[in-house]
Amino acid sequence: MTQTEPELSAEPDPRRWRALAVTLTAGFMVLLDVSIVNVALPSIQRDLGATAGGVQWVVSGYALTFGLVLVFGGRLGDALGRRRMFLIALTGFVLTSALAGAATTPELLIVARLLQGMAAGLITPQNTGLIQELFRGPERGRAFGLFGAVVGISTAVGPVLGGVILAVFGDPEGWRWVFLVNIPIGALALVLAARLLPKSSARLRGVASELDFLGAVLLGLAVVGVLFPILEIEQGNLGQVWWLFPLALLLGAAFVWWERRLVRLGRSPLLDLRLFSTVPGFASGATLGTVYFCAFTGIWLVFAVFFQQGLGFTPLESGLAVTPFAVGSAVSAIIAGRLIERWGRRLTVTGLSLVTGSLLAIAGLALLVPAAALGWAMVLPLLIGGIGSGMIISPNTTLTLEQVPTSMAGVAGGALQTGQRLGTAVGTAVLATVFHTAISATGADYPLSLTISMVCAALLTMIALGLGVAELRNRTLRVRTA
């Protein structure tokens, strides 16, 4: 696999920054919908008469189909053109948001969320692919810095915006606006994207015969085999679906065999596995991102339950309590994007160290500070954690993708995002289970349960830190050898 990129000699698109603003707006919407719905679940349950297990699938179903189509979405963007795929996927996201907002039964809402997750999974890899296509050198680092800020902010502010929407539109049907707000924003993004995104020379004729549909099915079923049991942990149904884990391993092995066979035959695979073996830093960066997302995204559900059930906060107050993390992450990600060229992997190692320290500090404060003052006591650790997180997500994305050929940028970005979605599902399920188990075992001692959960999150972050240190050493050796 060559890493020669003929596009490097082309003049940069003068509209690239405006195009980036449009794609990041759409990216913000789809990532926001991962967490914004959490605060609306009680309202949805009351209004539609859904069961607790059914309403959980409003969140879980979106995450499942989101992660399911990411790699295939990246391959479609590489083959059909990223502008074309972006417009198709964004149209689908707007329509499915309208369907979710108009749902009259729990079943219809779950179907709408499954379809909405698929559209989101098709949008996301076009974002990273377009950044690879439109930006070069230090500009690419700044662009990925903005992308990282979007990832960090959307995850952290979801509960805040959800609480604001519910406060403005009220119960019982205010939850519908959590979805309906996507319609005007998405429609405007569609108009601007059609004007600003660069047209590609990708052809439609003959592309279907080149797409690896069997690979997509094998990978999709393997992802379902991992995510579905994890999503069932909180419902206590793991004992019924545990067999999906070994089935997922078999399907994954079949996927690897099939992809390697296509390469030997000179055909286009869904995911060229040489990305992991020949592109320096891709495998380690993708693994680091997956592990970090286990810790990073898993803490928000724990915080939401702790503040609302443990301290009696409203959904809006609960969201505002974690705002320092979002603010620190946004500012840090933008600055980190400008420092990637100089600092490289040292940025992610420093960021992981800060996040680990902040989680351990919160764990200690939960035991030492009275519950009434704990919200204020956590402001500084959350701010420091946010600063650290901003130094992780965007630099890791940039460094992981920096040597990926532009022709494979979409599928590489999809693979990276799939790891993050898997990490999100695993981390949320694991930390939520740890937190609820601790509450039961300690007689509803919420501060102690928060401490246990934060220690678990810190341990996951330490694993990512170890991966970051190892990649920093390998990167230094590669530079010296070169």
Side-chain angles (χ1 to χ4, degrees):
M1 179 178 61
T2 178
Q3 294 182 22
T4 301
E5 298 183 43
E7 299 94 333
L8 287 174
S9 60
E11 287 295 321
D13 191 319
R15 300 175 299 177
R16 61 193 181 280
W17 288 107
R18 286 179 290 168
L20 178 66
V22 174
T23 60
L24 289 185
T25 299
F28 181 82
M29 276 198 311
V30 303
L31 292 170
L32 185 71
D33 269 39
V34 174
S35 60
I36 193 174
V37 183
N38 284 318
V39 296
L41 291 182
S43 297
I44 293 172
Q45 190 171 0
R46 288 193 300 270
D47 190 38
L48 298 183
T51 64
V55 79
Q56 182 63 36
W57 270 97
V58 174
V59 177
S60 303
Y62 184 85
L64 179 64
T65 51
F66 194 143
L68 190 63
V69 302
L70 277 165
V71 174
F72 192 60
R75 182 70 184 94
L76 284 173
D78 292 338
L80 301 178
R82 297 185 184 103
R83 177 182 182 273
R84 181 181 289 120
M85 277 307 305
F86 184 86
L87 294 175
I88 292 172
L90 183 54
T91 300
F93 188 81
V94 171
L95 293 176
T96 52
S97 295
L99 181 62
T104 54
T105 65
E107 293 77 17
L108 182 57
L109 178 58
I110 291 170
V111 169
R113 284 288 281 175
L114 290 170
L115 295 173
Q116 191 188 30
M118 292 182 68
L122 294 176
I123 290 173
T124 302
Q126 314 316 324
N127 253 331
T128 52
L130 283 164
I131 290 175
Q132 292 281 90
E133 181 179 320
L134 293 174
F135 297 92
R136 299 287 178 264
E139 276 195 348
R140 182 180 288 178
R142 291 196 290 272
F144 272 122
L146 293 173
F147 177 75
V150 165
V151 174
I153 295 171
S154 61
T155 304
V157 306
V160 181
L161 293 182
V164 169
I165 290 172
L166 288 174
V168 171
F169 293 98
D171 274 339
E173 296 197 348
W175 65 267
R176 297 184 183 277
W177 287 95
V178 169
F179 306 111
L180 296 177
V181 73
N182 293 331
I183 298 174
I185 299 173
L188 178 60
L190 269 173
V191 173
L192 295 175
R195 293 180 56 187
L196 295 174
L197 295 188
K199 295 182 180 180
S200 68
S201 58
R203 54 184 169 78
L204 289 172
R205 182 174 299 177
V207 168
S209 63
E210 297 177 6
L211 292 175
D212 178 16
F213 289 104
L214 178 58
V217 171
L218 289 172
L219 179 61
L221 291 175
V223 171
V224 170
V226 173
L227 285 182
F228 188 82
I230 290 171
L231 295 174
E232 288 293 293
I233 287 176
E234 286 190 74
Q235 306 303 319
N237 298 328
L238 181 61
Q240 302 173 19
V241 294
W242 65 268
W243 54 270
L244 287 174
F245 284 126
L247 178 61
L249 288 176
L250 292 175
L251 290 167
F255 170 75
V256 171
W257 173 82
W258 175 251
E259 297 301 284
R260 288 177 174 170
R261 181 174 183 272
L262 289 183
V263 171
R264 289 195 301 269
L265 295 174
R267 295 170 56 188
S268 299
L270 173 69
L271 176 59
D272 194 329
L273 298 174
R274 290 174 296 180
L275 276 171
F276 296 91
S277 60
T278 63
V279 176
F282 183 82
S284 58
T287 305
L288 187 155
T290 299
V291 175
Y292 177 63
F293 266 71
C294 284
F296 161 64
T297 55
I299 64 175
W300 304 117
L301 180 58
V302 172
F303 280 138
V305 175
F306 172 76
F307 283 124
Q308 293 183 49
Q309 295 184 4
L311 300 186
F313 284 17
T314 66
L316 179 58
E317 291 171 337
S318 174
L320 291 174
V322 297
T323 299
F325 191 102
V327 172
S329 179
V331 174
S332 175
I334 295 172
I335 296 174
R338 300 176 180 272
L339 299 176
I340 293 173
E341 288 287 324
R342 181 185 304 174
W343 291 94
R345 274 291 168 199
R346 285 176 290 177
L347 273 176
T348 55
V349 170
T350 303
L352 287 164
S353 301
L354 290 176
V355 173
T356 302
S358 71
L359 292 173
L360 292 175
I362 292 170
L365 289 171
L367 294 178
L368 300 175
V369 176
L374 190 54
W376 288 106
M378 288 168 53
V379 169
L380 182 58
L382 283 171
L383 178 63
I384 293 173
I387 292 171
S389 187
M391 299 168 69
I392 299 166
I393 297 174
S394 57
N396 184 63
T397 302
T398 304
L399 296 169
T400 303
L401 299 176
E402 66 178 344
Q403 297 195 53
V404 172
T406 301
S407 61
M408 300 179 67
V411 71
L416 189 62
Q417 287 284 326
T418 298
Q420 293 176 0
R421 298 282 73 81
L422 285 169
T424 298
V426 172
T428 301
V430 169
L431 290 182
T433 300
V434 168
F435 184 67
H436 290 304
T437 302
I439 289 174
S440 300
T442 60
D445 188 335
Y446 279 88
L448 178 57
S449 301
L450 179 66
T451 295
I452 295 171
S453 301
M454 291 300 104
V455 170
C456 289
L459 291 174
L460 289 170
T461 309
M462 288 178 188
I463 296 173
L465 176 59
L467 292 169
V469 171
E471 173 55 21
L472 175 60
R473 291 175 178 172
N474 291 337
R475 191 179 183 87
T476 302
L477 289 174
R478 288 197 299 268
V479 171
R480 289 176 180 174
T481 301

